[in-house]
Tab-separated table of all heavy atoms in Angstrom:
chain	number	residue	atom	x	y	z
N	82	ASP	N	92.718	103.304	101.241
N	82	ASP	CA	94.117	103.072	101.557
N	82	ASP	C	94.139	102.575	102.960
N	82	ASP	O	93.559	103.029	103.819
N	82	ASP	CB	94.912	104.379	101.448
N	82	ASP	CG	95.122	104.730	99.986
N	82	ASP	OD1	94.826	103.848	99.132
N	82	ASP	OD2	95.484	105.868	99.755
N	83	GLY	N	94.978	101.560	103.185
N	83	GLY	CA	95.164	100.975	104.522
N	83	GLY	C	94.235	99.840	104.857
N	83	GLY	O	94.343	99.274	105.925
N	84	VAL	N	93.339	99.474	104.025
N	84	VAL	CA	92.321	98.342	104.287
N	84	VAL	C	92.746	97.196	103.491
N	84	VAL	O	93.164	97.185	102.416
N	84	VAL	CB	91.010	98.822	103.906
N	84	VAL	CG1	89.907	97.638	104.048
N	84	VAL	CG2	90.426	100.019	104.675
N	85	ALA	N	92.613	95.984	104.168
N	85	ALA	CA	92.863	94.739	103.556
N	85	ALA	C	91.622	93.859	103.704
N	85	ALA	O	90.911	93.968	104.731
N	85	ALA	CB	94.006	94.037	104.306
N	86	LEU	N	91.304	93.135	102.675
N	86	LEU	CA	90.201	92.119	102.628
N	86	LEU	C	90.867	90.799	102.840
N	86	LEU	O	91.794	90.302	102.161
N	86	LEU	CB	89.529	92.178	101.284
N	86	LEU	CG	88.880	93.526	100.837
N	86	LEU	CD1	88.364	93.437	99.499
N	86	LEU	CD2	87.823	93.952	101.842
N	87	HIS	N	90.187	89.958	103.784
N	87	HIS	CA	90.641	88.655	104.070
N	87	HIS	C	89.627	87.705	103.558
N	87	HIS	O	88.511	87.611	103.984
N	87	HIS	CB	90.942	88.511	105.573
N	87	HIS	CG	91.379	87.141	105.957
N	87	HIS	ND1	91.055	86.623	107.132
N	87	HIS	CD2	92.104	86.274	105.269
N	87	HIS	CE1	91.657	85.380	107.230
N	87	HIS	NE2	92.302	85.193	106.132
N	88	PHE	N	90.056	86.832	102.561
N	88	PHE	CA	89.188	85.780	102.023
N	88	PHE	C	89.591	84.403	102.524
N	88	PHE	O	90.775	84.129	102.682
N	88	PHE	CB	89.288	85.864	100.483
N	88	PHE	CG	88.469	86.968	99.929
N	88	PHE	CD1	89.089	88.233	99.810
N	88	PHE	CD2	87.186	86.840	99.422
N	88	PHE	CE1	88.376	89.327	99.259
N	88	PHE	CE2	86.499	87.916	98.828
N	88	PHE	CZ	87.127	89.255	98.768
N	89	LYS	N	88.544	83.614	102.770
N	89	LYS	CA	88.801	82.202	103.117
N	89	LYS	C	87.886	81.359	102.125
N	89	LYS	O	86.631	81.646	102.142
N	89	LYS	CB	88.500	81.853	104.531
N	89	LYS	CG	89.340	82.471	105.551
N	89	LYS	CD	88.874	82.081	107.025
N	89	LYS	CE	89.792	82.670	108.066
N	89	LYS	NZ	89.300	82.274	109.435
N	90	ASN	N	88.519	80.499	101.429
N	90	ASN	CA	87.771	79.622	100.520
N	90	ASN	C	86.916	80.487	99.574
N	90	ASN	O	85.689	80.179	99.403
N	90	ASN	CB	86.817	78.620	101.276
N	90	ASN	CG	87.666	77.703	102.079
N	90	ASN	OD1	88.764	77.152	101.650
N	90	ASN	ND2	87.283	77.425	103.347
N	91	GLU	N	87.515	81.549	99.031
N	91	GLU	CA	86.815	82.503	98.027
N	91	GLU	C	85.741	83.298	98.605
N	91	GLU	O	84.933	83.863	97.823
N	91	GLU	CB	86.392	81.789	96.704
N	91	GLU	CG	87.597	81.138	95.952
N	91	GLU	CD	87.962	79.786	96.407
N	91	GLU	OE1	87.025	79.087	96.805
N	91	GLU	OE2	89.203	79.494	96.580
N	92	LYS	N	85.481	83.322	99.907
N	92	LYS	CA	84.434	84.150	100.522
N	92	LYS	C	85.073	85.144	101.484
N	92	LYS	O	86.061	84.847	102.163
N	92	LYS	CB	83.475	83.293	101.287
N	92	LYS	CG	82.826	82.236	100.471
N	92	LYS	CD	81.385	82.072	100.880
N	92	LYS	CE	80.638	81.004	100.001
N	92	LYS	NZ	80.516	81.280	98.640
N	93	LEU	N	84.578	86.444	101.446
N	93	LEU	CA	85.150	87.435	102.289
N	93	LEU	C	84.836	87.045	103.749
N	93	LEU	O	83.740	86.719	104.227
N	93	LEU	CB	84.442	88.781	101.998
N	93	LEU	CG	84.908	89.960	102.781
N	93	LEU	CD1	86.404	90.217	102.524
N	93	LEU	CD2	84.122	91.242	102.478
Side-chain angles (χ1 to χ4, degrees):
D82 289 342
V84 175
L86 301 173
H87 180 210
F88 285 82
K89 291 182 183 177
N90 300 317
E91 295 85 40
K92 299 219 181 295
L93 183 63

